[in-house]
Amino acid sequence: MRSLVSVIVPYFNRLEALEKAVKSVVDQTYRPLELILVNDGGYEFNLPIEVAKRVSVKKISFETNLGPAAARNAGLQTASGEFVAFLDSDDFWTETKLANQIHEMVSRDIELSHTSYVRRDSQTRFEEVIRSGSIDHGFLLMAFRCRIATPTVVVRRDAIGDSLFDASIRVGEDILFWLACCEKIGPSVGLAEPSCVVNVSGGSHFQSERNKAESLEAVNQFLAKKYPLLSIMHRIYIFFRKIIVKVM
């Protein structure tokens, strides 16, 4: 008998994109599925009738916008599946994403995994394949240069225990969660085949670099609490990275 997979999809408006994301879940060749939709304080999504017929659905609604971390936490606390997968509302999966990933995890006894993915600029439609699944991501790699995209991740629910996303921040909360998972269960095993399309806004180079800088600062604060020596090395890395970015 196949294991149940809980799919957590937080959303804040952007209902047209959400409909495509939900369709990519429903169209999965893998079953059984539990779809957990978390409305993060926006417009309500009218679930198509055919969706409810094909997968089990749970709906959670916040009165105000609390951010993706809080929304994913609500999904985690509600999830019934042996495995948990994450999908952002403006992204979508390939049809065999879960079938391939769960097969690998079960056959190889993997507790945390990620895959490569297609990165698409939502404005220009330019696409590139990010080969993040070509390598495993251990604690050190995640701390210094994590390229894992949230919609590519699947984790065994029991393995992560009570670990949650840090809802006090809006940038870098995903990396901190992967780091916490690695502390408990070891590296995230990479699977080379791209499993989804991740849409990113065109944005400026400045905004992109600012987000990366904020993520690194969040990671550094995480390290400082438990790994002071590593935190110092990480701070040096941040310093030299800033110099390189300015030169470029």
Side-chain angles (χ1 to χ4, degrees):
M1 182 177 178
R2 283 184 166 186
S3 301
L4 175 67
V5 178
S6 297
V7 182
I8 300 173
V9 185
Y11 70 94
F12 177 69
N13 300 330
R14 295 190 293 188
L15 302 186
E16 188 174 323
L18 174 63
E19 187 172 354
K20 187 172 185 177
V22 168
K23 185 178 186 301
S24 78
V25 175
V26 176
D27 288 344
Q28 290 296 298
T29 58
Y30 185 93
R31 290 289 187 277
L33 296 177
E34 174 185 70
L35 174 62
I36 304 175
L37 291 171
V38 186
N39 180 0
D40 189 17
Y43 298 118
E44 192 58 52
F45 176 62
N46 295 318
L47 199 67
I49 296 176
E50 60 269 21
V51 172
K53 289 181 178 180
R54 297 177 62 184
V55 298
S56 172
V57 179
K58 293 179 180 178
K59 299 179 73 175
I60 303 170
S61 293
F62 295 162
E63 291 185 1
T64 58
N65 180 250
L66 300 180
R72 292 189 193 116
N73 288 342
L76 279 171
Q77 293 167 332
T78 305
S80 303
E82 179 181 345
F83 294 91
V84 175
F86 304 95
L87 179 60
D88 292 338
S89 61
D90 52 349
D91 304 327
F92 58 92
W93 289 341
T94 60
E95 290 186 356
T96 57
K97 193 265 189 193
L98 288 179
N100 293 340
Q101 203 163 352
I102 298 299
H103 171 76
E104 289 294 320
M105 293 183 72
V106 171
S107 62
R108 296 167 56 188
D109 195 25
I110 297 169
E111 294 185 307
L112 175 65
S113 72
H114 64 280
T115 73
S116 299
Y117 62 97
V118 176
R119 183 182 186 275
R120 174 188 290 171
D121 188 303
S122 58
Q123 295 180 3
T124 66
R125 296 298 176 182
F126 173 76
E127 294 183 354
E128 62 175 329
V129 178
I130 306 300
R131 303 288 180 184
S132 52
S134 298
I135 57 175
D136 297 346
H137 276 57
F139 191 87
L140 284 177
L141 180 58
M142 284 187 186
F144 286 84
R145 195 169 185 268
C146 181
R147 301 193 78 192
I148 295 176
T150 300
T152 72
V153 174
V154 176
V155 63
R156 289 184 187 268
R157 181 67 185 87
D158 289 345
I160 61 175
D162 59 357
S163 295
L164 294 173
F165 291 84
D166 186 344
S168 67
I169 59 176
R170 297 278 181 129
V171 178
E173 80 288 341
D174 50 350
I175 300 176
L176 295 188
F177 185 72
W178 313 144
L179 284 169
C181 289
C182 273
E183 282 188 305
K184 290 186 176 183
I185 58 182
S188 178
V189 176
L191 306 177
E193 183 178 350
S195 69
C196 63
V197 174
V198 175
N199 287 294
V200 296
S201 59
S204 65
H205 176 72
F206 172 78
Q207 181 61 47
S208 176
E209 285 301 325
R210 188 171 71 174
N211 288 343
K212 290 177 183 177
E214 288 184 17
S215 294
L216 286 171
E217 286 295 334
V219 169
N220 191 261
Q221 292 179 27
F222 174 90
L223 296 175
K225 296 176 183 177
K226 297 183 178 181
Y227 310 99
L229 181 58
L230 182 57
S231 173
I232 293 172
M233 296 172 60
H234 191 262
R235 177 60 62 190
I236 295 172
Y237 167 76
I238 292 175
F239 174 77
F240 282 105
R241 186 183 182 279
K242 286 181 180 178
I243 294 176
I244 293 172
V245 169
K246 286 181 180 180
V247 171
M248 294 175 62

